[in-house]
Amino acid sequence: MAYPVDQRDSVVALAELPTPTAGAGEPTLLANEDTLQIAYYVYGGDDAVALVVFSGLEAHYFGPPHVDAVDRHPLHSRGVDIYGAFEVHDSSWIRELRQISGRRIEGRHFIITFHDITFECIARGFTTSIHRKNPTEVIRSTGARSV
């Protein structure tokens, strides 16, 4: 994620989001302009899959860094690490989007780190549920109703 970070950004672990499994969590996304769903295998969950539905979506990112490069994430020194869920308070990304869009961006900055990829979004809130299907099946079975 390429946004400038300054001294105002602070990162906290977010216990309300299920922790991704170590290894291939197989994160799968479905999004429209207001809602995003991400499904992934949960740590210690015996093949349990978390479905997190973010509402009031403003922006999202799904890409590097992966587990071997997480120390290059702009917020690693503030607490972003492998296999975790985080919230960024006083986010530079939100402040940058406000400046670019010329409008008030409402939302919170969330980060979930997986083995091979990092997910970030700005959304107003989220809900979670646990399922017993693989992530793709969870998205297929819930996506048409929710997004």
Side-chain angles (χ1 to χ4, degrees):
M1 186 74 225
Y3 48 83
V5 173
D6 61 27
Q7 70 280 1
R8 293 167 53 187
D9 294 85
S10 64
V11 175
V12 295
L14 198 58
E16 296 88 354
L17 285 175
T19 302
T21 189
E26 298 181 31
T28 304
L29 300 177
L30 178 65
N32 64 25
E33 66 182 301
D34 184 64
T35 304
L36 181 143
Q37 296 181 348
I38 184 168
Y40 56 90
Y41 285 107
V42 175
Y43 176 77
D46 285 334
D47 292 328
V49 171
L51 174 65
V52 182
V53 180
F54 291 96
S55 58
L57 184 69
E58 293 284 353
H60 71 278
Y61 171 80
F62 195 52
H66 55 76
V67 67
D68 294 328
V70 74
D71 61 332
R72 295 184 204 128
H73 189 285
L75 293 168
H76 177 68
S77 66
R78 313 286 170 91
V80 171
D81 210 350
I82 59 173
Y83 312 122
F86 309 92
E87 182 173 359
V88 182
H89 294 195
D90 206 2
S91 167
S92 290
W93 189 22
I94 292 175
R95 287 183 273 124
E96 179 182 54
L97 288 175
R98 286 176 183 154
Q99 195 171 45
I100 290 168
S101 71
R103 66 179 180 83
R104 180 82 179 147
I105 301 290
E106 298 294 334
R108 299 160 61 190
H109 182 173
F110 302 101
I111 301 173
I112 306 173
T113 55
F114 300 95
H115 186 83
D116 295 321
I117 203 159
T118 296
F119 167 77
E120 299 192 38
C121 78
I122 297 170
R124 288 196 183 102
F126 63 89
T127 60
T128 62
S129 56
I130 301 295
H131 302 264
R132 294 290 173 191
K133 301 175 184 176
N134 72 51
T136 300
E137 290 172 341
V138 170
I139 291 293
R140 284 183 181 149
S141 67
T142 62
R145 293 188 308 259
S146 301
V147 174

